[in-house]
Amino acid sequence: MNADDLLTLSPVLPVVVLHEVEQAVPVARALHSGGVRVMEVTLRTDAALEAIRRVAAEVPDVVVGAGTVITPDQARAAADAGAAFLVTPGTTDALLDATVDTGLPVLPGASTVSEAMRLAERGFDRLKFFPAEASGGVGALSAIGGPLPHLRFCPTGGITSDSAPRYLALPNVACVGGSWLTPKDALAAQDYARVETLAKEATALGTEAATATT
């Protein structure tokens, strides 16, 4: 799998924060039942690496990756845990080198034209735009597409089910990252049926965006 393959797995890349390892497999299965075949587990909790390990081992139909990768050690640990891809909120030379060394597809984060150009110089043309809403949202990404039409983005940060279609309608957006598919209260209540329903709604967003651009 490469970055292009990753960006086509779902119109919405679920950004999942797990505080309990036991939630990992039920969440992955609920997302899959809703038509979403990918999930990004953020490395913001102590449960994250083991959660990635369990999903990779027990739910092979879901492509699980690591998000919020901010250090070289995290990149290596995520790869060792079985992550199929890495996502960073921003980039440094050391972090980029470490992610490349893992051999995994990477979505490095950028929020400015200069950062995007620098990543393109390093050979990355599939990027994360973060924090999307705080960095200008749809208008900013549309403007970036003018001078940098060869780059494609997965915007993340503040995007909702209401705003997602506007991002997906942009020619330089392949998918969006969203945390709304796995809301904190649903996970706390082990309401995986709700996660499945939200996944089904997210899957439909791709069809809506395609219709809007034709």
Side-chain angles (χ1 to χ4, degrees):
M1 184 179 71
N2 57 33
D4 271 327
D5 297 329
L6 172 63
L7 293 177
T8 61
L9 288 173
S10 172
V12 180
L13 173 59
V15 179
V16 184
V17 180
L18 295 173
H19 293 277
E20 303 292 338
V21 172
E22 291 71 20
Q23 296 171 332
V25 169
V27 166
R29 288 175 175 161
L31 289 171
H32 186 263
S33 294
V36 175
R37 299 184 295 122
V38 62
M39 63 187 289
E40 172 192 330
V41 177
T42 69
L43 301 185
R44 301 179 188 178
T45 70
D46 292 338
L49 287 173
E50 181 60 24
I52 290 170
R53 188 174 288 109
R54 292 197 186 182
V55 173
E58 299 181 39
V59 196
D61 290 333
V62 170
V63 178
V64 60
T68 321
V69 179
I70 60 174
T71 69
D73 285 345
Q74 285 183 326
R76 290 186 284 267
D80 290 343
F85 62 92
L86 305 174
V87 184
T88 75
T91 51
T92 67
D93 288 332
L95 180 57
L96 280 178
D97 290 343
T99 60
V100 170
D101 286 345
T102 68
L104 298 175
V106 183
L107 291 181
S111 62
T112 69
V113 171
S114 293
E115 289 171 352
M117 290 174 63
R118 181 173 174 274
L119 287 167
E121 284 185 350
R122 289 287 304 265
F124 295 94
D125 57 7
R126 302 297 183 258
L127 312 176
K128 172 177 177 173
F129 181 62
F130 177 84
E133 287 289 284
S135 300
V138 171
L141 264 181
S142 178
I144 289 172
L148 304 174
H150 58 297
L151 301 183
R152 299 194 79 197
F153 294 87
C154 175
T156 306
I159 299 174
T160 66
S161 58
D162 291 331
S163 61
R166 294 192 289 276
Y167 282 94
L168 291 169
L170 296 176
N172 61 340
V173 170
C175 64
V176 300
S179 59
W180 78 87
L181 278 72
T182 54
K184 185 184 299 184
D185 59 341
L187 296 188
Q190 299 183 31
D191 187 357
Y192 302 119
R194 183 178 171 199
V195 173
E196 180 179 342
T197 296
L198 291 170
K200 289 178 180 177
E201 293 172 355
T203 301
L205 291 176
T207 302
E208 294 174 11
T211 301
T213 57
T214 56

